Structures are given as structure tokens and as C-alpha cells.
Amino acid sequence: MPLPYGLEITESCLRCKLRVGRLFCNLPRPTLETLQTLGITTACPKGTVLYSQGQSPREISVLCLGYVKVSTASQTGRTVCLGIAEPGAVLGLSATISGKPYEVSIEALEPCQLKVISGDRFLNFLRNDRAACLAVLKCLSNDVRKAYEPVRLFGLSHSATEKLANVLLRWCMRDDRQPKNGIHLRFPLTQRELAQMLGTNRETAGRALRTLERKRIIQCHGSSLVIQDERTLRLLSPTGYPRV
């Protein structure tokens, strides 16, 4: 069903063709049928703040379509982008289970479709469904692994160019397409958001991008990016990121 923001919405989880391969979406049919009855399917435009750091947890959201930015901010207002959540992610999971305030802010980088479930209903669902509990454990485990990535990024990289190489390598590991003319990525970040991810200012992030372009390692086209020389990009990355 078409909705605003140019999205083609799928109301039913059972009929969704995208759920295969997504950890929390590809559940046994009885579990998925119960999950379908719990929440509502909604859409939001780019720039929508889904959760704010410090806010009391009220719900979880399964990200069906679109990408969101995960960030944290200091009391002085400095913001660091911790990463990008992709379709299939369960947003607000840790805070809802712990009952503690949201640890991060989450903002839509583009129009998104979400399955929103109230925290109380979701916790009751977990108490009665072992398959859902196991899926949640795996999601939380993946979240812990992803939390190590900013530590590696800031702790082992010495320059903005090295940090940018790490970010691009992490991003290309998510993309299954490997054309002969380079690795094509959707990279829905502004230079300001990229600077937040690199822990630097917008000018420095822009220089790092131009450095890689000048050396013909990457090529930028708006919100898309082509990695032309993956081998050299990996040599720039002190953390390695071997091809998997």
C-alpha cells in the first residue's frame, strides 16, 4: 500500500518479502502471527527523531524500511554519531528491557517504515514466547558487538582519513553487491553527520573525502558512493577489516 514519503508499505509481517535474513523478522510463523497483532505499522519522514537520549522508554520499533542515525550527545551539546541502523534493526530494545532511559538518540536519515510496539506489550510477549526471547538475545548481542566499533574507530585511528576508511569498510561489508566497476554504496550521510561519526568537524571530514577522491580510491555521487580501490582503502585502515 502506498503511503506518504514515497514508501511502498507492507502492512503484514507475514506477507513481507524482505523479512528473510533479518534476525527479528524471520521468526517462526506462530511467533510472527502474534507479533503482527501487537503493534502498528507507520511511516515517518526524513529528520524525524524517533527516540531521544535520556527519554523514558515507552516502546520498541522494528525498522522495516529506511536507515536511521544513532547518536549520543554530551551535556555541552557535542554530538557523536555511533553508527547507522539498517532495515531489520530493533530500536529501543535495550532501554525497554532494562527500564532505563534511552541511551542514544535515533533520527531518520530518510523516509522510514516502522512496526511500533508498546514496551509493556512487548515485554509480555517475550515472557510467553521462547523464539522471540532468543531473537532478542541475538539482537542485543549484535548491538554489543557494534558498540565496540566506535572504540576501535577512535582508539586505533590517528587521522580523519583513517577513520573515514574504517567507516567506509564497515559500510561496504553490509552490501552484498560487488560490481566489477567498484563497490557501490548508499551512504545517506551529510558531511555534518559524517563529521559526527568521525569525531571531527565538517571541514576536516570534507578534506578526508576529497583526499580519497583525489587518490581515486572513492568516487562520490550525492548520497551514493563508489569504492574504486578497495585494497588501498584497507591499507589505510589500521583496524584491518578483512574481506568476509
Side-chain angles (χ1 to χ4, degrees), residues 169-235:
L169 287 171
R170 281 162 49 191
W171 198 257
C172 77
M173 288 170 68
R174 306 179 183 194
D175 199 308
D176 295 331
R177 297 169 300 168
Q178 304 294 332
K180 293 181 180 180
N181 61 338
I183 301 173
H184 292 241
L185 307 177
R186 288 182 61 239
F187 200 70
L189 292 175
T190 64
Q191 281 198 11
R192 176 175 172 270
E193 290 163 337
L194 179 60
Q196 292 174 351
M197 181 173 278
L198 301 182
T200 186
N201 56 52
R202 192 160 55 179
E203 291 74 18
T204 303
R207 282 198 299 271
L209 274 173
R210 290 192 294 273
T211 296
L212 296 184
E213 282 194 285
R214 188 174 62 252
K215 294 181 178 180
R216 298 185 178 180
I217 297 172
I218 66 170
Q219 191 174 36
C220 298
H221 304 282
S223 62
S224 64
L225 183 147
V226 180
I227 297 177
Q228 298 174 298
D229 188 347
E230 184 186 2
R231 179 177 177 277
T232 300
L233 192 66
R234 291 185 182 280
L235 291 175

Side-chain angles (χ1 to χ4, degrees), residues 24 27 31 123 125-139:
F24 196 75
L27 294 165
T31 299
L123 291 175
F125 169 57
L126 295 183
R127 292 187 188 100
N128 296 286
D129 196 298
R130 295 178 62 182
C133 281
L134 180 59
V136 163
L137 285 174
K138 291 180 178 179
C139 287

